[in-house]
Amino acid sequence: MTQTQIRGLGYLRVQSSDIGRWRELTVDALGFAEGSGPDPEGLYLRMDERRSRLVVLPGDTDRVLSIGWEVRDQFALAAVGRAVEASGTGVKPLSREEADDRGVEQGITFEDPAGVPVEVFFAPVLDHSPVVTALGQRFVTGGQGMGHIVLPTTSPDDTIAFYTEVLGFLPRGSMRLGGGSPRRVRFMGVNERHHSLAVCPAPHGEAPGLVHLMVEVDSLDAVGRALDNVGRQGFSLSSTLGRHTNDKMVSFYVRAPGGWDLEYGYDGMRVDEAHYTAEEITADSYWGHDWSGSEPLAAFTPPGTAT
């Protein structure tokens, strides 16, 4: 396994046919700060001093445009590029226009084994104006990155090997899928956040895509207010409030336009890598996280959930 150069999840860019509904969810209900970007029709969402962390751009279909992973500097970026090329995966540099569009100095792009568009970058553009969130909350970012992301894959072994052996992500445990299946969700980390990435086996035709994005805030009250807001705004909960067994996050899941989930949480654990060992959890949550009121995503069915 190579030593990782990746510092954290930097950004997520998606395309949606319903920008207005995304704004109602992220800004009005979940309290993201609205930023700015090059596309006047796009939705650029701030969580901290970064110009944007979550970007939603208009289009006829709902799809993931790119997942951005951050490295320290140009030397780390070059090292990642060499490692990816050595694995037999083609790498392209972001053009000047593409880098400006992402708000970064330089970056590279390639696809993971599931076909997910991945970008690695350094030197994000900062916006030093106040981050005014609707719930008065602070998002937990900094050295832990934007949050975590869960990806479906039709080739789990190759995908997990790519992220661990090529990109250097560290195994942070697993969970078997429901129904006694030998298939597992694999959790991987690059910093103190328990996992910045999870990979989930998906049926043929379900990947590439996105299962969910998790963002963390600094108070339980902010989670509660957001939970009230999503109900008032008419959004569907994929899962009720609960506390996870692996990262200890207290969170709920709301279904976003396009069919993905946003997990909104508080009080996630911090991993001390000097003492951590990977574990297999046997229950998704200590309490709560009831998925029975929604149609679970085909790529991810927690243990005990009916399909």
Side-chain angles (χ1 to χ4, degrees), residues 42-96:
L43 179 61
Y44 295 85
L45 297 163
R46 294 182 65 195
M47 301 170 65
D48 49 23
E49 275 199 315
R50 304 293 174 90
R51 190 185 76 181
S52 59
R53 288 283 197 174
L54 175 58
V55 177
V56 187
L57 299 175
D60 294 334
T61 59
D62 297 276
R63 63 189 181 96
V64 175
L65 296 175
S66 60
I67 298 168
W69 297 98
E70 185 172 1
V71 297
R72 186 187 188 281
D73 51 32
Q74 65 268 40
F75 305 110
L77 182 67
V80 173
R82 290 192 296 268
V84 175
E85 287 182 329
S87 75
T89 301
V91 176
K92 294 181 180 179
L94 294 180
S95 69
R96 179 72 273 151

Side-chain angles (χ1 to χ4, degrees), residues 3-10 68-72 76-77 80 84 108 110 118-121 143 163 166-169 189-191 196:
Q3 183 176 2
T4 187
Q5 301 285 350
I6 308 292
R7 294 292 179 92
L9 179 63
W69 297 98
E70 185 172 1
V71 297
R72 186 187 188 281
L77 182 67
V80 173
V84 175
I108 58 176
F110 50 88
V118 177
E119 295 175 354
V120 180
F121 69 93
Y163 280 102
V166 177
L167 295 182
F169 281 66
V190 291
N191 52 47
S196 295

Side-chain angles (χ1 to χ4, degrees), residues 11 166 206 292:
Y11 57 77
V166 177
E206 291 292 329
S292 62

Side-chain angles (χ1 to χ4, degrees), residues 29 135-137 219-230 232 252:
L135 301 176
Q137 84 280 33
S219 77
L220 183 60
D221 286 341
V223 173
R225 294 186 188 107
L227 184 58
D228 286 347
N229 285 346
V230 297
R232 281 192 289 264
F252 67 88

Side-chain angles (χ1 to χ4, degrees), residues 32 45-49 53 131 139 141 146 215-216:
F32 282 77
L45 297 163
R46 294 182 65 195
M47 301 170 65
D48 49 23
E49 275 199 315
R53 288 283 197 174
V131 182
F139 287 96
T141 57
M146 175 186 179
V215 296
E216 184 178 359

Side-chain angles (χ1 to χ4, degrees), residues 148-160:
H148 76 234
I149 197 161
V150 179
L151 301 176
T153 176
T154 55
S155 53
D157 292 343
D158 290 342
T159 303
I160 292 162

Side-chain angles (χ1 to χ4, degrees), residues 151-157 160 173-187 199-207 211 280-282 296-305 307:
L151 301 176
T153 176
T154 55
S155 53
D157 292 343
I160 292 162
S174 65
M175 178 180 67
R176 286 195 182 191
L177 295 177
S181 169
R183 300 180 305 156
R184 288 175 170 85
V185 181
R186 298 284 183 181
F187 304 95
V199 171
C200 180
H204 178 71
E206 291 292 329
V211 178
E280 180 175 304
I281 56 174
T282 56
L297 295 179
F300 177 65
T301 304
T305 299
T307 57

